[in-house]
Every structure is written in structure tokens, then in C-alpha cells.
Amino acid sequence: MVNKTYQITKLRFIALAVSVVLLLTGIISYAVLGGFNLGIDFQSGFSQRVQIANPALSLTYTGDDSVTVNVSNGTISLVIRDGNGSRSLEYLSSTYKTVSEMATVLNTAVDGLQANAIEGEVPTSALITGFGLASLLSSDGFVINSSNQDRTSFVTIDDMRNTLGSSASVQVVGDEYEQIFQIRLGNEEGLLEDELSKQVSSSLANEFGEGSAVVLQSDFVGPKYSDTLLSGSILIVVVSITLILLYIWFRFKLAFALAAVITLVHDTFLLIGFITILRLEVSSTTIAALLTIIGYSLNNVIVIFDRIRENKPLLTNVSIMKLIDTSVSQSLSRTLFSSLTTILAILPLAIFASGAIQLFAIEMVFGIIVGAYSSNLLAPALFMWISKDKKGTTRPVPTVSTIEEKKDVDNVKEVPADVVVPNVERKQKGKRQQKK
């Protein structure tokens, strides 16, 4: 038994009020903010992540061999392939600290390779390339850009919106001074990906200079694919909740199943409201987070309901409120510690990661908190309201006297139907004895 029983059921109206307020906040935010911040997965069109960065170093190669260059954290790596195989050269940013120093050493690295420092005083640690992939060098030239290091002067989101027009959706990624932006364009005209990419590149080149926009990521989704993915995602969530209802109904009772499903729907809508308020991107990662939270919350709910079912035949002389309080108190430490442990494991990803992984981690942290709250406060209250046991008490515990009486009753032999008990005769004898 648990050392201390918390009166969980007394908080049921407070929990209900908190849930209603949070759900209404999400609905109002959805209406005021104009819906979800749909990602490229659910909205047909073009999405591109670009960084405004000035050209700092240009490389040209006129030799006969194949030379590729890659930049990672300012370190430049060259891979030379010829008839005898391949060899690699690496130049660390910690050794060659400025672009001019890097250009000097690259000019002597490979025959036919020419490096030109466009901004020689820029630190090599600021060097970046598009997509972060290796590029093949040729006589046409390859430009390596440098990210902005000035925290007081940088391109703002308003500058980008004025450049791209009202039809483009622009968001800042990371710190503002880094000048990284997520750009989304609708595709109502049915243009191809190359045409949309050229429109964005041309607008940015005219405003910030040729070669100043570094493409970090580019995605394109057609209208048919986005519609299919959206309908499929909704179907997955609905089917999952329906199967959960059937499973709990089969394992427990209908009251348990309805309480669990209402709790899961509650958690799902709270997470959706959280995503709407913070304007987080709704993508396939969001669907993965929703399904994960549903499974996590379901596990907590089943643990508590299973404890209620186990305690019901044991605690037969207590009210249903006391039964729920005892059962939740017995599993409370397990639920809280498992939730806290999971949050501590995911929290670094939510803080230090980026992109889809960071979004998934943020949604998971909020979902785990909501799941712990709903499984301990809301789900037991819903079960109590839905349960048919309206009186709130169970059958009394048999005492020693009632057990002995039951044994005496069991020992009494049944009287045959054809035997008449002489009740009147016994009464007459009794009166005669009184007269005597």
C-alpha cells in the first residue's frame, strides 16, 4: 500500500477548468492567427532556406584531375582524384585564421587551383557553402561565402519580406544576425521547382548582390501529394484512437475505454493548440510527435486504470473516490519519475538541436507534461463520471459475525414441502405451561 494517499478526485473540477481554458485558448489562437503554420508537407508549393552571406573566397580549377571542395566549420577539405586513385587535403580554420591566409595556402595545394580572397580579413570560421555538400571545382569558378558576424547590422525579416513581396511567407531561423530565413511560396500557377527557385534567386540577387544568397535547403511539393499526405495523416490519427478504444474496451470495461480515449483526444488538441500559439511548423514531424504522445499518454493511463482494477476487489469497503485516490497515489511516483526522466533526455535536443529534430523535441516535451497531468488528474475523474457506480460505494466487507451466521444458515436443513410444522400445537402447550 502507498504511504500517503493524495486526494486526487477533489481536484477534478480544477483539472476540468484548466483543460477547458487551455482548449479555448488554442481555438481562439487558431482563429486569430489564421490557422496553422503549414509546412511544405501539407501545403503545395516551394520552400527554401537561404542565408544572406557575402562572397569571401573564389576557387577556380583548370587542371586535368577531378577536385572537389567541402567546407565544414571553416575547415576546407579537398579531394583530388586522378588515374592513380584519390587523395585528401585538409586545411583547418584554427591554423589558417583569415581568408587571405587560406587563399595563400590553397594556391600552392594543387596544380591548376587558383584561390582569390574577396574579403581577406574575414575569419575562416565564418565560411559556409550551399547545402553543406562537396562541390566539383571547374574553370567557371566556385564561390565560398562568409556568414555575417556583426550583431548590430544585419538583414531583417522586414527587408526579406519587402524584397520577396507579400506572396512569400518568411520566417527567421536561429539568431537574427545570422541572416538565415525560411521562405515559402505558393504554387497556384502550377510552376516547376526550377522556375520558382529562379524567381527567389533573382529577387535576392537584385537586392543583396549576385551570389549573396546561399541556399541551405530546398523543397518542392505538388498539390496532389500534399492533399494525399494531409488526408493520410488525419486518417492515421483517427484509426489509432479508434483501435485504442477497442483495445481498452476489450481489456477493461467501456467506462475505462471512454475515459482513456477522451483523455487522448484532449492531449492531442492541447498539443495542436500549443503548436498554433507558438507558430511551430506543422509537418510530417508533427504527426510523428502526435502519435508518440498518444502512445506515451496511453501507457500512463493504462497503468493507472490497471491499478484501479486490481484494487477494486481488495478495497471493497471504500468509496469509488477513495479507490481512485489510492490507486493514483500508488502509481504517482512511477508516472512522475518516468515523465521527468524522458523530459531530461529530450530537453537538450529542444534547446541545442535545429530543424525538424528540434521541433519534434519541443512538441514531445510539452506533450509529456500534458500527458502526465491528464493521466493523473483528468482520466481518473472522467472514469468516475462515466462509471455506472453512481452511489460511490462498493459492497461491505464480511465481518466475523456475518460469516458465522452464514455458516449457521448453511447448516440448517431444508424442510420438505409435505411436512407441516405444528406451530399452533406448540403455542397451546406453551399457554398450558403458563397456566400451570
Side-chain angles (χ1 to χ4, degrees):
M1 291 293 292
V2 67
N3 294 329
K4 183 177 181 180
T5 300
Y6 301 96
Q7 296 180 341
I8 302 296
T9 53
K10 287 190 175 182
L11 301 175
R12 62 188 184 277
F13 295 108
I14 298 177
L16 180 62
V18 170
S19 297
V20 170
V21 170
L22 292 177
L23 290 173
L24 289 177
T25 303
I27 295 173
I28 295 173
S29 301
Y30 178 87
V32 172
L33 300 176
F36 299 116
N37 177 25
L38 294 177
I40 192 66
D41 295 340
F42 299 116
Q43 186 179 22
S44 62
F46 178 73
S47 176
Q48 194 171 75
R49 180 173 296 184
V50 300
Q51 183 172 7
I52 305 301
N54 295 327
L57 178 66
S58 66
L59 301 176
T60 57
Y61 179 67
T62 57
D64 298 329
D65 300 329
S66 174
V67 179
T68 58
V69 61
N70 189 27
V71 179
S72 177
N73 296 325
T75 297
I76 295 181
S77 301
L78 298 176
V79 178
I80 303 97
R81 294 180 177 85
D82 53 21
N84 297 324
S86 62
R87 57 191 178 96
S88 301
L89 301 175
E90 189 174 72
Y91 302 95
L92 302 178
S93 59
S94 58
T95 305
Y96 308 98
K97 297 184 178 181
T98 63
V99 172
S100 59
E101 293 177 4
M102 184 67 74
T104 301
V105 70
L106 289 176
N107 282 324
T108 60
V110 181
D111 292 338
L113 177 63
Q114 183 177 358
N116 180 30
I118 301 174
E119 294 186 359
E121 299 304 320
V122 171
T124 52
S125 58
L127 295 178
I128 59 171
T129 57
F131 296 102
L133 302 175
S135 300
L136 182 64
L137 298 180
S138 66
S139 58
D140 295 334
F142 177 75
V143 176
I144 300 176
N145 299 66
S146 63
S147 59
N148 181 51
Q149 303 296 308
D150 191 349
R151 295 175 179 264
T152 60
S153 177
F154 49 84
V155 177
T156 64
I157 188 172
D158 293 331
D159 297 333
M160 292 291 291
R161 288 172 176 169
N162 295 332
T163 301
L164 298 172
S166 58
S167 61
S169 173
V170 182
Q171 286 181 310
V172 177
V173 180
D175 296 326
E176 284 188 296
Y177 79 92
E178 294 178 338
Q179 303 180 156
I180 302 176
F181 302 96
Q182 188 74 36
I183 302 170
R184 294 185 183 87
L185 291 174
N187 191 21
E188 299 178 357
E189 300 176 357
L191 300 177
L192 298 177
E193 180 180 4
D194 291 340
E195 294 174 334
L196 292 172
S197 179
K198 288 179 180 178
Q199 286 184 3
V200 174
S201 299
S202 177
S203 299
L204 296 178
N206 292 335
E207 179 68 22
F208 304 110
E210 191 69 31
S212 296
V214 179
V215 180
L216 304 178
Q217 181 183 351
S218 184
D219 298 301
F220 178 79
V221 173
K224 185 176 180 180
Y225 176 79
S226 61
D227 293 341
T228 302
L229 187 60
L230 178 61
S231 59
S233 301
I234 296 175
L235 180 62
I236 288 173
V237 175
V238 173
V239 169
S240 300
I241 294 178
T242 304
L243 293 177
I244 289 170
L245 172 64
L246 296 176
Y247 165 72
I248 301 180
W249 190 358
F250 174 78
R251 179 174 175 178
F252 297 94
K253 291 182 179 180
L254 183 59
F256 289 102
L258 291 177
V261 168
I262 294 174
T263 302
L264 296 181
V265 173
H266 161 271
D267 296 349
T268 302
F269 278 100
L270 280 189
L271 180 56
I272 292 175
F274 172 77
I275 293 171
T276 304
I277 294 173
L278 295 187
R279 306 305 294 164
L280 300 178
E281 182 180 271
V282 178
S283 62
S284 55
T285 305
T286 306
I287 303 302
L290 282 174
L291 295 176
T292 306
I293 290 304
I294 288 175
Y296 198 91
S297 299
L298 175 65
N299 180 64
N300 290 337
V301 171
I302 286 180
V303 168
I304 293 174
F305 283 176
D306 193 52
R307 188 57 60 92
I308 293 174
R309 184 181 64 173
E310 290 177 353
N311 288 336
K312 193 170 185 179
L314 301 177
L315 305 176
T316 53
N317 61 335
V318 300
S319 66
I320 189 172
M321 295 178 65
K322 183 66 174 178
L323 172 64
I324 292 175
D325 291 342
T326 303
S327 302
V328 174
S329 299
Q330 289 175 345
S331 58
L332 185 61
S333 60
R334 177 260 174 205
T335 304
L336 293 181
F337 280 117
S338 62
S339 300
L340 181 61
T341 303
T342 308
I343 289 176
L344 291 177
I346 299 176
L347 196 59
L349 294 176
I351 298 174
F352 301 109
S354 61
I357 295 178
Q358 185 182 42
L359 290 177
F360 179 81
I362 293 173
E363 293 162 1
M364 281 293 298
V365 169
F366 179 81
I368 291 172
I369 295 174
V370 169
Y373 148 75
S374 62
S375 61
N376 288 282
L377 296 178
L378 190 62
L382 290 172
F383 166 72
M384 188 181 67
W385 286 325
I386 298 173
S387 176
K388 293 182 179 180
D389 191 1
K390 299 299 182 182
K391 294 181 181 180
T393 57
T394 57
R395 60 183 176 85
V397 178
T399 61
V400 176
S401 60
T402 57
I403 293 175
E404 292 178 351
E405 290 176 3
K406 185 176 184 301
K407 288 182 179 179
D408 294 339
V409 172
D410 292 339
N411 292 330
V412 174
K413 294 184 179 179
E414 205 171 345
V415 179
D418 55 347
V419 177
V420 179
V421 179
N423 292 329
V424 178
E425 182 65 17
R426 284 201 295 267
K427 289 181 180 179
Q428 290 177 354
K429 290 181 179 180
K431 291 180 179 179
R432 290 170 186 173
Q433 291 177 358
Q434 289 177 1
K435 290 178 180 180
K436 291 179 180 181

